[in-house]
Amino acid sequence: MQTTDIRRFCAHSDSVNELLARYGVKFGIYKNNTFKEQLFPFDMIPRIIEKNEFDYLERGLKQRVKALNEFIKDIYSKKQIIKDKVVPEEFVYAGSGYLAQCEGVLPSKGIYSHISGIDLVQGKDKNWYILEDNLRIPSGASYPMIARDLCRKSFPSLYEENHIEENRNYAKLLRKTMDNVNTGGHTVILSPGRYNAAYFEHSYLAEQTGSHLATGSELTVEGDYLYFIDYSGKKEKVGAVYRRISDDFLDPMNFREDSVIGIPHIYDIFRKGNVALINAPGNGVADDKGIYYFVPKMIKYYLGEEPILQNAPTYLPFYEEDMKYVLDNIDNLVLKDVAEAGGYGVVFGSKMTQKEKSDFIALLKENPRRFIAQEVIDFLDIDIYEGGEFVPRKADLRAFVLMADEPMVWKSGLTRFSRNPDSFIVNSSQGGGFKDTWVMA
């Protein structure tokens, strides 16, 4: 893609972002008891990944998701990885993602993480590093889908002249994933409703996959089955629910009893195998930032293979040796609270005052399980178009892996970038923007 083409392409930036706003492509944040909805800024310059490079990523992502699924299955059944002392039991049972209610429950076809969002960054050394595994309710696939659709309409010749893998097939992959575990009946996308941060995505994916978009009030358990009640009062049996509600609020009879957005007894019929829940409850046991440290060991343990993709160099203060390293090198590390997400709970040692550092160290010593520390990876800068100029910004890539009989890697992804030239934090909740990701065919 030539510079002149990029400039011509970027000339459509305002009109495309206006269309995204009109379609309601926004990101909502609920914080301090206030819901604030904001645009998710789109940058026209695509991230381009060559075919050979993506083939390598694809192999590594499939390997990782297979191992993570095996880990979840093991934890809620035999717990062999704990018995063999590969993962300390403290890191399993002390994590907020572990749910005792999931013990002994095997989902349809033994699949736990049907949709995995794996966050990667490319360092200036050109190597790719896994930053985080999102296995609970990963979001973001809809944004590059609709953005590319609008860009294609604005500048069709660019897509005709470049050999780019199609990204409109995400809906087909998602439908295949849902149908693979459907126990017999309609497929529903369960949303908390209009004020959820990713409501646009819920409605968009429902439309694209031909699924019902429903809230908890439109679903009911009768006997041993789940039913969708339409506007006329007609009931239709449901066989698969792609839930966009967190575990805690899914079923007030089994989890948080004060939940008003869940469906009473849905987990009871899930246990009986009468409905599929996508993703399965309890997945959070595997995407805890502390558990992340052990994923390379999981790959060797369950698959007997060397990891294709590497973690960022990570230290667990839980271990005495790692604690010493963290205390000696805190100025060169990024420290993360394992219970936080969305870019919250991340601090850079180099940016803390002496008092902040002293307070943090005291907290770390008091509760070493609560934090991990990582070497600061110098992300590869990629250009964004801002104020009529190309300017470099830090960016990551959320790759999506969908699991049917075998894992399928979507040949696209959500590239998020920081709008702050001095920041490594790219999350939309922290004011970041997004790009399309072109995988070359």
Side-chain angles (χ1 to χ4, degrees):
M1 189 165 157
Q2 302 297 319
T3 303
T4 51
D5 288 334
I6 295 175
R7 287 196 176 278
R8 287 167 54 213
F9 191 47
C10 289
H12 296 267
S13 181
D14 289 345
S15 60
V16 170
N17 273 285
E18 285 171 10
L19 284 171
L20 289 170
R22 192 181 305 169
Y23 277 107
V25 184
K26 298 178 181 179
F27 190 90
I29 301 170
Y30 190 80
K31 191 176 180 183
N32 298 327
N33 297 319
T34 302
F35 180 78
K36 181 183 178 183
E37 197 169 49
Q38 60 192 43
L39 294 176
F40 194 6
F42 172 63
D43 181 67
M44 295 285 287
I45 307 173
R47 171 177 228 152
I48 297 175
I49 303 177
E50 298 297 335
K51 181 184 184 305
N52 289 343
E53 189 170 20
F54 195 83
D55 287 347
Y56 158 75
L57 292 177
E58 184 175 31
R59 291 193 302 273
L61 290 165
K62 286 181 176 180
Q63 179 194 58
R64 193 173 180 97
V65 168
K66 280 182 180 179
L68 286 164
N69 266 287
E70 288 300 317
F71 173 72
I72 302 169
K73 186 187 299 184
D74 187 16
I75 289 303
Y76 290 121
S77 57
K78 297 179 180 178
K79 303 171 178 52
Q80 200 61 47
I81 200 167
I82 295 175
K83 294 173 184 175
D84 289 339
K85 301 188 184 304
V86 179
V87 179
E89 63 181 353
E90 295 93 327
F91 271 84
V92 175
Y93 302 128
S96 61
Y98 168 77
L99 297 177
Q101 298 95 320
C102 298
E103 287 288 345
V105 179
L106 186 68
S108 176
K109 297 199 174 180
I111 300 171
Y112 288 81
S113 187
H114 309 83
I115 301 138
S116 306
I118 311 296
D119 293 345
L120 309 96
V121 293
Q122 189 175 25
K124 287 186 176 176
D125 59 5
K126 297 300 180 73
N127 290 320
W128 287 89
Y129 299 92
I130 304 280
L131 279 191
E132 195 170 286
D133 305 294
N134 298 280
L135 309 181
R136 304 186 207 199
I137 314 174
S139 64
S142 63
Y143 299 112
M145 287 172 67
I146 191 169
R148 188 181 300 185
D149 189 46
L150 294 175
C151 288
R152 191 190 300 272
K153 291 173 182 175
S154 297
F155 207 152
S157 62
L158 191 66
Y159 292 87
E160 293 166 3
E161 294 162 5
N162 291 279
H163 302 287
I164 310 161
E165 289 283 2
E166 183 57 73
N167 83 342
R168 285 177 287 192
N169 67 336
Y170 183 83
K172 182 178 179 182
L173 296 177
L174 180 56
R175 186 74 209 200
K176 181 178 179 180
T177 299
M178 296 189 292
D179 289 347
N180 181 59
V181 292
N182 193 308
T183 61
H186 287 278
T187 299
V188 164
I189 293 181
L190 172 62
S191 172
R194 169 73 182 78
Y195 291 105
N196 183 263
Y199 183 72
F200 160 75
E201 178 158 282
H202 307 166
S203 58
Y204 184 75
L205 292 179
E207 177 189 359
Q208 294 294 307
T209 59
S211 303
H212 291 306
L213 177 66
T215 59
S217 62
E218 296 169 289
L219 296 166
T220 184
V221 172
E222 293 187 5
D224 283 339
Y225 297 96
L226 181 69
Y227 296 90
F228 170 74
I229 306 170
D230 70 12
Y231 64 92
S232 67
K234 178 183 175 184
K235 293 179 183 176
E236 298 174 313
K237 186 183 172 190
V238 175
V241 177
Y242 176 19
R243 62 179 184 100
R244 302 301 295 258
I245 289 178
S246 66
D247 292 345
D248 286 350
F249 294 95
L250 180 62
D251 181 347
M253 309 306 291
N254 286 278
F255 302 108
R256 280 187 58 157
E257 62 182 22
D258 61 343
S259 172
V260 295
I261 57 174
I263 304 139
H265 298 294
I266 190 173
Y267 192 67
D268 296 323
I269 63 169
F270 168 72
R271 274 193 294 236
K272 293 177 180 179
N274 292 341
V275 70
L277 294 177
I278 304 165
N279 282 331
N283 272 12
V285 73
D287 75 2
D288 181 289
K289 288 183 176 69
I291 291 293
Y292 158 93
Y293 174 90
F294 297 99
V295 178
K297 296 177 187 288
M298 290 178 203
I299 292 169
K300 294 178 185 178
Y301 183 80
Y302 292 116
L303 308 181
E305 301 170 357
E306 290 296 320
I308 296 169
L309 293 169
Q310 301 302 315
N311 281 6
T314 304
Y315 306 93
L316 287 186
F318 173 83
Y319 293 122
E320 187 177 336
E321 183 181 350
D322 283 15
M323 174 68 88
K324 183 178 185 308
Y325 182 87
V326 171
L327 296 178
D328 290 345
N329 297 275
I330 193 167
D331 289 339
N332 303 317
L333 300 171
V334 55
L335 304 123
K336 298 180 178 180
D337 188 327
V338 301
E340 295 283 359
Y344 296 101
V346 177
V347 292
F348 289 81
S350 60
K351 295 186 178 180
M352 286 194 281
T353 66
Q354 199 58 47
K355 184 179 186 310
E356 288 171 338
K357 207 175 297 182
S358 297
D359 291 345
F360 181 85
I361 288 171
L363 188 60
L364 180 65
K365 288 179 176 178
E366 182 182 341
N367 190 356
R369 169 63 176 87
R370 181 177 166 181
F371 299 95
I372 64 170
Q374 292 178 325
E375 302 286 354
V376 179
I377 295 174
D378 197 1
F379 295 19
L380 191 70
D381 293 307
I382 61 175
D383 282 344
I384 69 167
Y385 191 70
E386 185 173 272
E389 300 293 334
F390 298 138
V391 294
R393 292 290 185 269
K394 302 299 181 187
D396 76 352
L397 170 67
R398 174 165 291 181
F400 290 88
V401 185
L402 297 96
M403 178 73 84
D405 290 325
E406 289 292 327
M408 306 170 290
V409 180
W410 183 39
K411 292 186 177 178
S412 184
L414 175 67
T415 291
R416 300 176 299 180
F417 62 88
S418 171
R419 297 168 73 198
N420 180 345
D422 300 317
S423 176
F424 283 71
I425 307 295
V426 301
N427 305 71
S428 49
S429 56
Q430 303 293 310
F434 79 100
K435 292 173 170 283
D436 191 6
T437 305
W438 288 8
V439 177
M440 305 312 290

